[in-house]
Amino acid sequence: MSIRILLVDDEQLVRAGLRLILESEDDLEVVGEAGDGTEGVQLTKELDPDVVLMDVQMPAMNGLEATREIVALGREDSSRVCILTTFDLDEYVYEALRAGASGFLLKRTPAADLVAGVRVVASGEALLAPSVTKRLIGEFARRPAGERTPPPALDDLTAREREVLGLVAEGLSNSEIAQKLFLSEGTVKTHVKRIFYKMNLRDRAQAVILAYDVGLVEPKGL
């Protein structure tokens, strides 16, 4: 089945370029285009795309607010938002993920990486460009530990689940976590699903935010 994509960007030429790249792939289909966040939210309700490629700076409603509204729809297997923007400022990265975005890519991303990124987000995984990941972790490194308050639900996690969450936040895949902890990949997937359920998380992007935010994992090498 094709991955259904909605493009939300106020520049028509950008949307045309994205459509050309994405529809050159047999498994990708652009089902709609929107010129601002308000229209993007409405079309998401109508078309129920798998992935919404969302610009940040737009008239009427910006991409961050539109992302919040799309995530708040709360549908089962709801559309996943990937922020696609010219800017990689810390505030955009942090706020986009806080809003519930599942990915963040820069518009200068090569076409092949854009296509791969859409597939990653559609599969339910988190996607962050390497430069964005470094800036995001740097943001947490600058925040005083005293500002971090673990949410009550964190106490519901078992010791093993906390360990798995920490490794997810370090960027390890399920197979890599399985090797590190000497577990089967199926067992790791079960732990991850339980963590997401207990902590009310949509995907790995939110898991990374949570783990660093509460100090479960500390930034390294910065």
Side-chain angles (χ1 to χ4, degrees), residues 56 64 81-85 87-89 91-94 96-97 101-106 109 121 126-130 132:
V56 173
L64 301 181
V81 178
C82 181
I83 299 294
L84 186 64
T85 182
F87 308 97
D88 63 346
L89 300 178
E91 62 200 73
Y92 289 148
V93 179
Y94 190 72
L97 294 177
S102 297
F104 197 110
L105 284 172
L106 306 181
T109 298
V121 172
L127 175 72
L128 292 173
V132 171

Side-chain angles (χ1 to χ4, degrees), residues 27-207:
D27 62 331
L28 304 182
E29 176 188 6
V30 176
V31 295
E33 298 182 19
D36 60 56
T38 301
E39 187 181 6
V41 173
Q42 184 58 40
L43 285 179
T44 298
K45 293 177 182 178
E46 296 175 5
L47 302 174
D48 194 24
D50 300 306
V51 176
V52 180
L53 280 181
M54 180 81 71
D55 190 21
V56 173
Q57 294 188 329
M58 294 181 291
M61 179 188 292
N62 66 40
L64 301 181
E65 184 57 36
T67 297
R68 291 188 187 95
E69 293 206 11
I70 289 172
V71 172
L73 294 176
R75 297 174 176 176
E76 186 176 357
D77 296 326
S78 59
S79 305
R80 296 183 178 276
V81 178
C82 181
I83 299 294
L84 186 64
T85 182
T86 306
F87 308 97
D88 63 346
L89 300 178
D90 292 338
E91 62 200 73
Y92 289 148
V93 179
Y94 190 72
E95 290 305 318
L97 294 177
R98 278 242 179 253
S102 297
F104 197 110
L105 284 172
L106 306 181
K107 287 184 178 179
R108 61 175 180 267
T109 298
D113 292 344
L114 170 64
V115 168
V118 168
R119 291 176 177 140
V120 168
V121 172
S123 73
E125 297 291 335
L127 175 72
L128 292 173
S131 63
V132 171
T133 302
K134 184 175 182 180
R135 294 172 74 91
L136 177 64
I137 295 175
E139 169 67 22
F140 288 110
R142 290 190 293 272
R143 297 177 64 198
E147 293 183 5
R148 303 167 181 169
T149 304
L154 194 62
D155 295 333
D156 294 336
L157 298 184
T158 65
R160 177 65 85 184
E161 288 168 348
R162 284 187 179 225
E163 189 174 19
V164 170
L165 176 57
L167 294 175
V168 167
E170 291 179 10
L172 273 65
S173 66
N174 286 346
S175 61
E176 290 171 334
I177 294 173
Q179 292 178 11
K180 189 176 184 67
L181 299 182
F182 302 102
L183 300 172
S184 71
E185 189 169 347
T187 298
V188 172
K189 287 181 179 179
T190 298
H191 283 313
V192 171
K193 286 182 179 179
R194 287 176 179 170
I195 291 167
F196 285 7
Y197 176 76
K198 290 181 179 180
M199 305 303 296
N200 193 28
L201 302 172
R202 280 169 52 88
D203 50 40
R204 289 173 113 85
Q206 288 194 321

